[in-house]
Amino acid sequence: MFTSQEIIETINMVKQSNLDIRTITVGISLFDCSSDIPQRFIDNMRKKIIKYAGNLKNVANEIEDMFGLPIVNRRVALTPISLLTFSYSYEDLIKVATAIDDIAKELEVDLIGGYSAAVHKNYDENTRKFISSIPDALASTDRLCSSVDVGTTRSGINLDVIAHLGFIIKEIAQKTKDKDSFGCARFVVFANAPDDNPFMAGAFHGTGEGDCSINVGISGPGVVKRALEEKKDASIDEIYETIKKMAFKITRAGQLVLQYASKKLKIPAGIVDLSLAPTPKVGDSIAEILEEIGVEKVGGYGTTFALALLNDAVKKGGAMAASFTGGLSGAFIPVSEDSGMVRAVEAGALSIEKLEAMTSVCSVGLDMIVVPGDVEAEVISAMIADEIAIGVYNNKTTAVRVIPAYGKKEGDEVNFGGLLGGSKVMKINRSSPKRLIERGGRVPPPIISLRN
């Protein structure tokens, strides 16, 4: 039950601090749609997506009108397509990808995820074929999102697939070069990927999620920043408590939307992902929150500490406000989507190496990092390997969404528009990791995975 006071507080946060619901994501299982005949699978899939998500846009609009709460994206997440297409040819896979994209356009869904695979152990020929199709799948679509999970704390790290993914990302960049290699923004590599993540590009409907569910991803960096602006002389423990209180209020807004959307769509409620997700708007930035906590410029010493404090306070505050929390939950640090991060890059204060350190305590990982287009594939693979190691050995979700902007060099600017923003091309370490990456193989799980 929500009080009128809570609703009024939510409206004030919208008006004054850029509060929004970043996404309502409908997750749909496709196991009962599977068929050895690709067109039959496509037809079955289309019927089921329309059944559950056909009214998503209208319900989201109704929620906006009723509560005055902006809903930025309407999204759908599907069962990982690789699980359903083992017998398909390369051409069949591209046909499925374009069909999914067409369904999203028909329903006016902003993004649709699930062109995905999990490759923790063996890298068989069917999975290799699927992953090899990702560049053409993304180049021939506009709303389709793709992900690959290459490691878990239980299974270890698959270096064979990581080595391949460096070349896959380079190919995506080349095939979407007319849009500053924008296709790479719709592809993410994971460790410990959650089954209920509502955020793109990594959303998919996990195998343990049931037939259908609805998950909500909240935002609200501006709300936290505004609260901290009133605490200029506060101690660090007071800062921590302030963030917890604001996270509670933000998450209550997400819970309100989840309950209403579940009732209207007649879909079981899933989770609220209580992440702080920035936008390119000034004042809606994780970097600016860290600077309010006391860091002079994001990237300077103390940044990782401030981010750890923020992430923990958000999780603890939000967990009390929702029936079920999940997904990624915490603070996101996508560079191009955060105006404060972009300014730090331009000032030379924020490097990829510092970002990597920050990912040990944030919700995701190296996110929306733009690098020179001539970067070697092995360097991209090594960046992925480093980040996946952080996730696997710390038993947390990490991810890499890196964009080698075709034809761009260090210091050049790219602009993706909308929520994805833009950034300068970041400096990279050119030392070659080729010998390491070409060794291939699979790294066994850490000892933490053997605990009872």
Side-chain angles (χ1 to χ4, degrees), residues 170-415:
K170 287 276 289 184
E171 188 177 350
I172 297 170
Q174 192 277 329
K175 288 181 181 292
T176 58
K177 63 183 179 181
D178 58 325
K179 298 179 181 178
D180 280 340
S181 301
F182 176 73
C184 295
R186 293 188 281 126
F187 178 69
V188 60
V189 184
F190 271 117
N192 294 318
D195 285 351
D196 54 6
N197 166 30
F199 286 100
M200 299 295 177
F204 60 88
H205 190 67
T207 56
E209 289 296 299
D211 194 49
C212 186
S213 64
I214 186 163
N215 300 317
V216 168
I218 60 173
S219 184
V223 176
V224 175
K225 179 177 181 290
R226 187 179 181 89
L228 294 183
E229 287 173 342
E230 300 174 3
K231 301 285 184 179
K232 294 293 186 184
D233 299 320
S235 64
I236 203 68
D237 53 326
E238 291 175 311
I239 292 291
Y240 186 84
E241 289 301 316
T242 298
I243 296 170
K244 279 176 60 180
K245 290 175 183 178
M246 300 316 299
F248 178 89
K249 293 180 180 181
I250 294 167
T251 307
R252 287 294 278 174
Q255 180 72 14
L256 173 67
V257 170
L258 178 64
Q259 289 180 352
Y260 191 86
S262 173
K263 180 179 178 181
K264 294 294 290 186
L265 289 169
K266 299 178 181 178
I267 294 173
I271 57 93
V272 176
D273 187 318
L274 48 96
S275 295
L276 294 185
T279 71
K281 294 179 184 177
V282 174
D284 201 29
S285 160
I286 298 297
E288 291 176 9
I289 294 176
L290 301 180
E291 289 167 1
E292 284 295 333
I293 291 173
V295 178
E296 180 181 9
K297 179 69 69 175
V298 166
Y301 296 118
T303 299
T304 305
F305 169 82
L307 181 58
L309 181 149
L310 172 64
N311 209 49
D312 191 59
V314 166
K315 290 185 177 184
K316 287 178 179 173
M320 297 183 291
S323 300
F324 294 96
T325 59
L328 298 166
S329 287
F332 286 7
I333 53 170
V335 174
S336 75
E337 299 175 27
D338 188 313
S339 58
M341 295 284 182
V342 172
R343 289 194 297 273
V345 170
E346 291 172 344
L350 184 61
S351 67
I352 291 178
E353 287 73 23
K354 185 60 178 180
L355 281 164
E356 183 180 297
M358 293 165 67
T359 65
S360 66
V361 297
C362 79
S363 287
V364 193
L366 292 174
D367 197 12
M368 292 301 291
I369 308 292
V370 186
V371 299
D374 66 350
V375 60
E376 293 83 0
E378 292 84 2
V379 170
I380 296 175
S381 293
M383 290 173 65
I384 294 170
D386 283 345
E387 193 59 41
I388 298 307
I390 290 173
V392 167
Y393 287 93
N394 288 283
N395 198 21
K396 71 183 291 289
T397 299
T398 52
V400 176
R401 191 162 45 147
V402 61
I403 303 165
Y406 190 90
K408 300 287 185 178
K409 62 182 184 301
E410 179 188 330
D412 288 348
E413 293 187 3
V414 297
N415 185 16

Side-chain angles (χ1 to χ4, degrees), residues 29-34 48 79-80 83-84 205-207:
S29 171
L30 299 180
F31 283 114
D32 57 347
C33 300
S34 62
K48 189 162 187 182
T79 301
L83 298 177
L84 307 168
H205 190 67
T207 56

